[in-house]
Amino acid sequence: MDTNAWNAAVAFHGHACPGLAIGVRAALAARDHFAAARAEDEQLVCVCENDACGVDGIQAILGCTAGKGNLLFRLRGRQAFTFFERKSGRSLRLVLRADIPDLPRAEKIEWLLNAPEEAVFRRTAPRCGMPEPARLFRTCVCEVCGEPAAEYAMRLQDGRTVCLDCFSPYDRGW
Ligand SMILES: [Zn+2]
Ligand SMILES: [Zn+2]
């Protein structure tokens, strides 16, 4: 167990909890698997299937961050993390096992950090493709509220360019 990594993650997250331990464990497994240093650019990408405490472990240890565009959410309410290495195309998906022992909080954290990886996660093939690198978009000004936003987030309505908050979706299920 890498105590420095755990301490850094706790400092980043603000408290120690089992959820954070899950993310830290996934991050350490990915770090070993790809022999990755902190992701300074977008080399290592994480697609996270939840938006819970563990995400902060990924950010603190791997440097996959929301702001850099190499931490993406694919919300499934599931403790699963998929990692992609852009250069090599290699991937790794870790899913928390369903039979994690039910322990008191402090012991659960210890268990999650120290149990053999096979007891904590199942490794599977990715359930999504590698996300494309972040693109740059032109900025458009919403003709209703006047706020600028990226082109991908604009819609046409009554012949005007409008932002998603000013747009009323017309979705009849097609
Ligand atoms: Zn937490
Ligand atoms: Zn608007």
Side-chain angles (χ1 to χ4, degrees):
M1 169 51 203
D2 181 339
T3 314
N4 288 340
W6 172 245
N7 290 340
V10 171
F12 180 75
H13 183 52
H15 61 246
C17 65
L20 183 65
I22 293 168
V24 165
R25 199 61 204 276
L28 293 175
R31 197 175 68 178
D32 288 352
H33 184 75
F34 297 108
R38 267 180 73 90
E40 299 302 338
D41 48 22
E42 283 190 63
Q43 196 50 242
L44 191 66
V45 181
C46 177
V47 177
C48 190
E49 295 183 38
N50 68 82
D51 58 357
C53 296
V55 183
D56 284 351
I58 305 290
Q59 299 197 89
I61 291 168
L62 294 175
C64 294
T65 68
K68 276 212 298 285
N70 57 350
L71 173 65
L72 299 161
F73 293 96
R74 183 173 186 263
L75 292 178
R76 298 292 183 271
R78 185 156 55 202
Q79 289 289 2
F81 307 87
T82 305
F83 302 92
F84 295 95
E85 190 179 52
R86 285 206 183 281
K87 184 174 50 179
S88 65
R90 289 198 301 153
S91 60
L92 171 68
R93 180 168 180 265
L94 300 167
V95 191
L96 189 70
R97 289 196 170 275
D99 56 355
I100 295 298
D102 193 18
L103 298 165
R105 188 181 168 93
E107 286 152 57
K108 188 160 190 172
I109 292 172
E110 283 301 307
W111 188 90
L112 286 164
L113 293 174
N114 295 298
E117 188 199 307
E118 318 80 72
V120 181
F121 295 118
R122 221 158 40 84
R123 290 187 173 208
T124 79
R127 295 182 80 166
C128 61
M130 188 183 307
E132 71 163 294
R135 267 197 251 167
L136 288 175
F137 289 90
R138 86 172 54 215
T139 298
C140 301
V141 175
C142 173
E143 292 181 58
V144 173
C145 69
E147 293 187 7
E151 190 178 60
Y152 71 81
M154 306 306 281
R155 298 292 180 269
L156 275 175
Q157 180 165 273
D158 295 333
R160 294 192 295 177
T161 300
V162 301
C163 76
L164 288 172
D165 285 330
C166 293
F167 179 65
S168 43
Y170 181 63
D171 178 359
R172 304 185 68 180
W174 60 69

